[in-house]
Each structure stands twice: as C-alpha cells, then as structure tokens.
C-alpha cells in the first residue's frame, strides 16, 4: 500500500526544547532564530533597545523568546511558546518549553507532538535531576530523536573532555530508560557566542559533527502516511437535512494514521458494527483516497448508529476495546492523583467517566528505580496507573501509536488536566 511520493514528502520538523533553569535555553533559541535570519527587523530593534536599557553591550537574544512580562522580569521561561521559522531546506515548528521544575508539565505539552527534542545541559554543571526528568519524559513520549546540546562551552574553555564526559553520562542514563529513547546526537555549543548553533565553531575544531541547525535541517523525520492501520476518531456527524442533501450522513474527523480508500471495509468501535467506505469528502471535493493527517468526512454504505467519540478502523487491524487500561503517566496538576479518585478520561474525541484503580509505582529519577505503591502521584511525578472506565474504549498501545495510544485524565469538577497518560496495557 503506497501513496504518491509528492503527497508524503516531509518538509516540516516539529521540535521542542528543554533544559534546566539558567542552562541558556532562551539564549540558544534566540541565537538560532537570529543567526538563521528568522527575526524581523523591528523585533531585533526592540530587543536591542531593552538590552541597552539594561546596560548590555550586545543584544540579549533570550528576549526574542521570553515574551511574557513575568518571564522577562524573572529571567526564566514560564509558558510554552510556539515559534515558526524556515530555512531554504525545511520549515520548523518550535515548542519552546520551560526549564523550571515547577513547569515541567509544560514540557509534556510541547514534546507530545515533537519529532525531535533538544535537551540543554550547562557544561559547568553537567547532568542534573531536571536533565534526567526531561530525558525520561522524552522517552515516555517516544520522541524519535534527541539532541543533547552541551551549552556554555565557552565557560569551560571549550574543553573536549568536559563535553565527552557529559555526553557519555547522558548516553548511559538514556540506555537505562529503555527502548523509548530516540536516536541521540550530542553537540557542543555556546549559545552566547553562536558556536555550533548555526555556524561551525572556530574554537572547537575537535568537533566534526553538524551544527544544531544543520542537524535540524537534515535529520530524517516523519512517517509515511500509509504506515500503520487507519484510524479515524469521529469528531462530528454531519446531517445537513436540506433538499439538496436530504440523505447525506457523513462522519467528520482527522485521520490519525494510515490510509483510507473508497471501498475499504471498516468497523466502528466500540460497538463493532461493520460497513464499507462509500465516499470520502476532502475540502468539499470527493476523493478516492485520503491519509493521515488529513481531515475528512467519510460516508459509509450502511446506515448505522455512529456518534462523536466512535472510532473507524479496518476490521483486520482494529484496536483493542477495553474498560481497563494501564499506562505510564506524567502527573501535571498541582493537586495529587490518588487511588480511588474519580476522573474523566479523554481519548481522541471520546470522553468517559473513570476511576483510578491503582498506582502500582512511581519512578525515582536519580537511579530509575520503581517506588512501589506510592498511593498517589504529585506534580511532575512519573509513574504507572491502572484506570477503569465506565464505558468501553477503542485503544491502541502507545508503543504502536502516539495518537491513539495516549489519553488524559481530567478533573470532572473543573475540567483541569490532571495527568498525561501513555497506554502500555489493556484488559
């Protein structure tokens, strides 16, 4: 099964940045935008004006990314900021995530859709707990590629042994995280001076690898749209009920994986009802084939009961339908998650009532040991939970699908997101 090459060409990279406080992440992102000529003249002029007001001789490039007043006053990144820029070789969507431990939850948001994560380390301090936490989250989210950017090399006299030791320690830790860790590329940089960010460093001639931008431009990313079985979570049922389209009944949603063709047999989950794809509408036009991540309206040959939250999939490769699921999770709310707690579970377009049956373990980031039966998870904790739902879910494992294998636990009282979950077992 294949799709025309021009339809699957990947020319956009979604990537996230992460690092501990004061590792220089905002400066690195600012340098990347500045040296790749992705900063407008008025933006640069404003940064130069603020920098002069602070008595700085050179523009503080961190101001290009720390847009909130509180961020500028405290000198830390608080919110996830999405930046869009391009070079002649590729377009980029950058999720600039906070480094402070209080905002680790925002890193989960930024990295959840990323194909690459840049983790910064201060060359003077090496691997710290927040570095390990970010690496663990990237592994849980199965981000395909990791860049270890060892920053502030200018403050350690550009010493190769310092870089090698940090890279080796990080690689050893990553190996212990298991198969979820992506391909690792370590790059020594000085964001302040611009070494190995966009231009190669003249002072680190011992490093023969790519600059950060060169790696971002050339790393292989993106899945073929026909990889994996088709999945269409139904977002909306379209029934115009007008004279022109009196019998029209379409099921609108975004294809999360795979390819859908007219004539394909399908099953609708969780009910298990079977039918055949009769027509596919894309941007108001009928097409014979559609693929991820296109948003389409599918019409079926049989008039069956389908509603928002149902999942359309091929019958020979359908996900498991279950009311019990185990997941590796990152708890993102200030209030803890406790055994016995009633929650809402949001999976694709479906939201159901659920209860936390058990919290078997919590991950200790220093030695990756499992703390058994902690009873609850606090903010930024990583652990495992067992959840029982009031209604059946059609769920893939996260290892098989990042989109249909993930879900959120939500507070039913106020709609607050509590926990980001990656399914690793059902039944």
């Amino acid at each position: 099964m294949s799709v025309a090459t021009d339809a699957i060409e990947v020319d956009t990279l979604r990537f996230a940045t992460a690092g501990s406080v004061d590792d220089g992440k905002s400066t690195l992102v600012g340098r990347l935008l500045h040296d790749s000529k992705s900063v407008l003249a008025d933006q640069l002029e404003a940064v130069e004006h603020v920098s002069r007001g602070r008595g700085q001789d050179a523009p503080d490039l961190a101001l290009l990314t720390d847009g909130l007043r509180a961020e500028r006053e405290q000198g830390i990144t608080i919110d996830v900021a999405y930046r869009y820029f391009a070079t002649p070789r590729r377009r980029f969507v950058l999720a600039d995530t906070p480094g402070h431990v209080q905002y680790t939850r925002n890193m989960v948001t930024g990295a959840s859709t990323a194909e690459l994560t840049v983790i910064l380390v201060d060359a003077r301090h090496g691997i710290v707990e927040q570095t390990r936490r970010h690496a663990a989250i990237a592994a849980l989210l199965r981000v395909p590629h990791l860049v270890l950017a060892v920053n502030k090399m200018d403050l350690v006299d550009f010493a190769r042994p310092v870089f090698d030791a940090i890279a080796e320690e990080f690689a050893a830790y990553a190996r212990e995280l298991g198969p979820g860790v992506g391909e690792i590329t370590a790059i020594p940089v000085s964001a302040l001076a611009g070494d190995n960010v966009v231009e190669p460093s003249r002072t680190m001639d011992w490093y023969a690898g790519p600059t950060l931008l060169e790696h971002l431009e050339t790393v292989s990313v993106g899945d073929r749209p026909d990889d994996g079985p088709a999945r269409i979570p139904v977002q909306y049922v379209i029934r115009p009920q007008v004279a022109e389209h009196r019998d029209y009944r379409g099921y609108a949603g975004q294809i999360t994986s795979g390819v859908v063709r007219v004539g394909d047999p399908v099953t609708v989950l969780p009910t298990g009802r079977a039918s055949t794809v009769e027509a596919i509408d894309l941007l108001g036009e009928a097409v014979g084939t559609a693929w991820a991540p296109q948003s389409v309206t599918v019409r079926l040959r049989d008039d069956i009961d389908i509603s928002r939250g149902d999942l359309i999939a091929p019958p020979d490769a359908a996900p498991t339908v279950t009311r019990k699921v185990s997941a590796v999770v990152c708890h993102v709310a200030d209030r803890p998650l406790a055994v016995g707690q009633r929650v809402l579970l949001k999976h694709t377009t479906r939201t159901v009532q659920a209860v936390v049956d058990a919290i078997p373990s919590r991950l200790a980031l220093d030695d990756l040991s499992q703390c058994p039966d902690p009873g609850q998870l606090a903010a930024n904790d990583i652990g495992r939970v067992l959840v029982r739902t009031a209604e059946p879910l059609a769920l893939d494992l996260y290892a098989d699908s990042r989109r249909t294998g993930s879900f959120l636990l939500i507070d039913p009282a106020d709609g607050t997101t509590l926990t980001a979950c990656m399914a690793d077992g059902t039944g």
Side-chain angles (χ1 to χ4, degrees), residues 338-377:
V339 174
Q341 186 170 342
R342 295 188 178 278
V343 296
L344 294 177
L345 187 154
K346 182 176 182 357
H347 173 251
T348 62
T349 58
R350 187 175 182 82
T351 301
V352 300
Q353 295 180 349
V355 63
V356 179
D357 264 354
I359 302 178
S361 61
R362 177 178 57 82
L363 180 68
L365 293 172
D366 52 353
D367 60 1
L368 296 178
S369 63
Q370 298 289 339
C371 304
D373 299 318
Q376 65 179 26
L377 296 176

Side-chain angles (χ1 to χ4, degrees), residues 17-247:
T17 58
S20 189
V21 174
D22 295 331
D23 280 352
K25 180 174 57 60
S26 292
T27 302
L28 177 73
V29 174
R31 173 65 66 182
L32 181 63
L33 296 174
H34 177 272
D35 288 8
S36 64
K37 297 180 173 53
S38 301
V39 180
L40 298 177
D42 59 340
Q43 291 178 304
L44 184 58
E45 184 179 346
V47 167
E48 291 173 342
H49 175 75
V50 174
S51 301
R52 285 194 299 269
R54 295 178 174 179
Q56 297 171 309
D57 295 332
D60 183 357
L61 298 179
L63 298 177
L64 289 171
T65 60
D66 289 340
L68 299 179
R69 176 179 297 180
E71 294 178 330
R72 294 191 177 197
E73 290 174 350
Q74 298 179 52
I76 63 174
T77 302
I78 294 176
D79 197 14
V80 179
Y82 290 92
R83 315 286 173 181
Y84 305 87
F85 67 102
T87 67
R89 304 179 72 173
R90 178 171 276 170
R91 296 191 297 268
F92 301 95
V93 180
L94 161 62
D96 183 22
T97 70
H100 198 286
V101 64
Q102 178 182 350
Y103 305 111
T104 300
R105 68 200 76 178
N106 295 19
M107 190 261 183
V108 177
T109 301
S112 62
T113 58
E115 297 171 287
L116 180 148
T117 296
V118 179
I119 299 179
L120 253 73
V121 172
D122 188 324
R124 299 169 300 172
H125 304 146
I127 306 299
V128 296
E129 181 180 2
Q130 191 69 339
T131 311
R132 291 190 286 269
R133 181 176 282 108
H134 287 152
I137 291 173
L140 292 178
L141 295 172
R142 292 186 174 263
V143 180
H145 303 276
L146 288 181
V147 171
L148 176 68
V150 182
N151 192 26
K152 302 188 179 182
M153 288 296 296
D154 52 310
L155 299 183
V156 294
D157 297 324
F158 302 101
R160 180 174 186 173
V162 173
F163 168 75
D164 288 342
I166 293 173
E168 183 177 345
E169 181 182 355
F170 184 84
Y173 181 79
R175 284 193 295 271
E176 296 180 26
L177 288 172
V181 178
E183 178 187 28
I184 300 173
T185 301
I187 304 176
V189 302
S190 170
L192 189 63
D195 291 75
N196 285 336
V197 179
V198 172
E199 300 295 334
S201 172
R202 297 180 179 179
T203 53
M204 290 184 282
D205 52 4
W206 46 264
Y207 172 73
T211 66
L212 176 59
L213 181 61
E214 183 182 355
H215 182 67
L216 295 176
E217 287 182 321
T218 57
V219 65
S220 176
V221 295
D223 297 324
R224 291 176 57 90
D226 53 352
D227 283 347
R231 299 285 187 266
I232 310 176
V234 177
Q235 184 171 5
Y236 190 70
V237 178
I238 299 177
R239 288 291 310 279
Q241 295 182 320
V242 295
E244 185 180 356
H245 302 287
R246 187 173 302 278
D247 298 322

